[in-house]
Amino acid sequence: MAFTGEFRHTIDVKGRVIVPSRMRDALSGDQVVLTRWLEDCIAIWSPEGWARIEESLEALGESNKSARTLRRVVMASAHPDQVDKQGRITVPQHLRELAGIEKDCVVVGAGNRGEIWNPQRWQATQAEVSEEGRLEELVSELNF
């Protein structure tokens, strides 16, 4: 099952946010890995998804500086966590700061992962895609 949907949530004073039940269904248990991700969001990985990320990062090798930098950034920000009985995960302060999240957030499905967004950044991303013909351009550009 894939991570799908868009959900508005708040992060409590302890840094916890609810993982929507639809996304919990995409996990193979209650373990997750959170990490800094593209466009300054936070990725939520299942253990299997995270293992694929680790393998991909290792496959980049050591000889390329960009590969080393990417590996460091992604691995240094990684935070293993467990979904609690109320369906929440704890988002560490360093990831909330990187993503610009204070209290409100948007949790979205992105297929192989979930993502946690600052609401204004998510809205700007959606507005960009909503511009006349932009979705069509993406489909054409990616031969989808």
Side-chain angles (χ1 to χ4, degrees), residues 9-75:
H9 286 290
T10 57
I11 294 183
D12 70 16
V13 295
K14 294 183 179 180
R16 299 174 301 194
V17 66
I18 293 174
V19 177
S21 61
R22 185 185 313 173
M23 290 190 192
R24 289 195 307 266
D25 292 344
L27 298 170
S28 58
D30 60 358
Q31 300 297 310
V32 297
V33 176
L34 305 175
T35 192
R36 177 182 190 172
W37 202 239
L38 307 176
E39 287 90 28
D40 292 325
C41 72
I42 301 166
I44 306 169
W45 300 99
S46 68
E48 298 81 13
W50 180 247
R52 286 190 295 276
I53 291 298
E54 287 180 322
E55 290 169 10
S56 296
L57 289 169
E58 288 303 315
L60 295 173
E62 292 291 331
S63 61
N64 183 296
K65 184 176 180 182
S66 294
R68 292 190 307 271
T69 299
L70 178 62
R71 184 179 307 109
R72 287 180 189 124
V73 168
V74 172
M75 298 300 287

Side-chain angles (χ1 to χ4, degrees), residues 70-112:
L70 178 62
R71 184 179 307 109
R72 287 180 189 124
V73 168
V74 172
M75 298 300 287
S77 68
H79 171 77
D81 202 39
Q82 184 172 346
V83 180
D84 71 13
K85 291 180 178 160
Q86 287 77 37
R88 301 171 300 190
I89 55 175
T90 300
V91 182
Q93 183 67 32
H94 76 277
L95 287 177
R96 293 193 313 262
E97 287 173 3
L98 287 167
I101 296 171
E102 293 178 13
K103 183 177 179 184
D104 295 326
C105 66
V106 182
V107 181
V108 301
N112 66 344

